[in-house]
């Protein structure tokens, strides 16, 4: 019984592409110690504004708006 052929990684690539390129050095001004993204206060404020907008939109676009029984 003969074995099935084994896959050889990157066998069909040209030699220039066989080696993984080295990752470029980060050019940003952010230091590794600095946390990414926004502060907890900014995230809280954004989520509160998002929720308030959601509630406001749900009230304005309610399928029951203007129907009988509402005050």
């Amino acid at each position: 019984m003969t074995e099935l052929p084994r896959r050889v990684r990157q066998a069909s690539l040209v030699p220039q592409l066989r080696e993984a390129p080295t990752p470029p050095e980060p050019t940003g001004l952010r230091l590794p110690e600095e946390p990414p993204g926004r502060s907890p206060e900014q995230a809280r404020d954004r989520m509160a504004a998002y929720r308030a907008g959601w509630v406001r939109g749900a009230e304005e676009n309610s399928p029951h708006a203007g129907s009988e029984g509402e005050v």
Side-chain angles (χ1 to χ4, degrees):
M1 181 156 126
T2 61
E3 285 190 37
L4 294 174
R6 296 278 182 184
R7 179 177 181 269
V8 179
R9 292 186 72 152
Q10 300 180 347
S12 62
L13 292 177
V14 294
Q16 296 87 346
L17 298 177
R18 287 185 185 165
E19 296 298 320
T22 57
E25 292 294 324
T27 58
L29 300 175
R30 183 179 291 172
L31 300 175
E33 302 86 35
E34 189 177 332
R38 26 186 104 70
S39 72
E41 292 80 16
Q42 290 172 323
R44 182 196 62 220
D45 292 344
R46 175 144 322 166
M47 292 307 295
Y50 177 76
R51 184 175 188 286
W54 184 279
V55 169
R56 188 172 56 247
E59 289 172 353
E60 291 174 1
N61 296 324
S62 173
H64 302 292
S67 63
E68 291 184 37
E70 287 192 12
V71 178

